[in-house]
Amino acid sequence: MQNDEGVTVDLYIPRKCAWTNKLITAKDHASVQLNIGHLDESGVYNNQFTTFALTGKVRCMGESDSAIDILWKKKQAEASS
């Protein structure tokens, strides 16, 4: 919820899994949120990052590695076009 100035005032903002698009509940203690840093042409971090959140179920199935890889490739394709 936002107040009159447009500032978010909720105490808890639920996250969505980047792979399954399902809400990550507060009790999902196996879920992770990864910040992947962006590099410039010379391979130096440029203070930008992309955030991916994954549910514990995706991690339990062993799909998190391939999910991050596919999501990152999709993100790169969107940025280059």
Side-chain angles (χ1 to χ4, degrees):
M1 182 168 60
Q2 294 180 346
N3 61 10
D4 295 334
E5 290 87 30
V7 178
T8 303
V9 293
D10 290 333
L11 295 176
Y12 175 71
I13 300 172
R15 298 175 293 162
K16 283 181 78 173
C17 178
W19 186 244
T20 62
N21 287 328
K22 293 185 179 184
L23 286 178
I24 299 174
T25 64
K27 294 293 184 178
D28 188 357
H29 298 296
S31 64
V32 293
Q33 181 170 323
L34 302 171
N35 291 331
I36 300 175
H38 296 205
L39 306 176
D40 61 8
E41 298 81 26
S42 61
V44 179
Y45 176 63
N46 61 5
N47 293 327
Q48 295 178 343
F49 58 89
T50 300
T51 304
F52 294 116
L54 295 174
T55 61
K57 183 177 180 180
V58 172
R59 294 184 65 215
C60 182
M61 293 186 310
E63 297 288 326
S64 58
D65 185 42
S66 61
I68 290 294
D69 187 40
I70 293 170
L71 288 168
W72 182 246
K73 286 179 183 177
K74 193 182 297 185
K75 176 76 173 175
Q76 285 180 327
E78 290 173 2
S80 64
S81 60

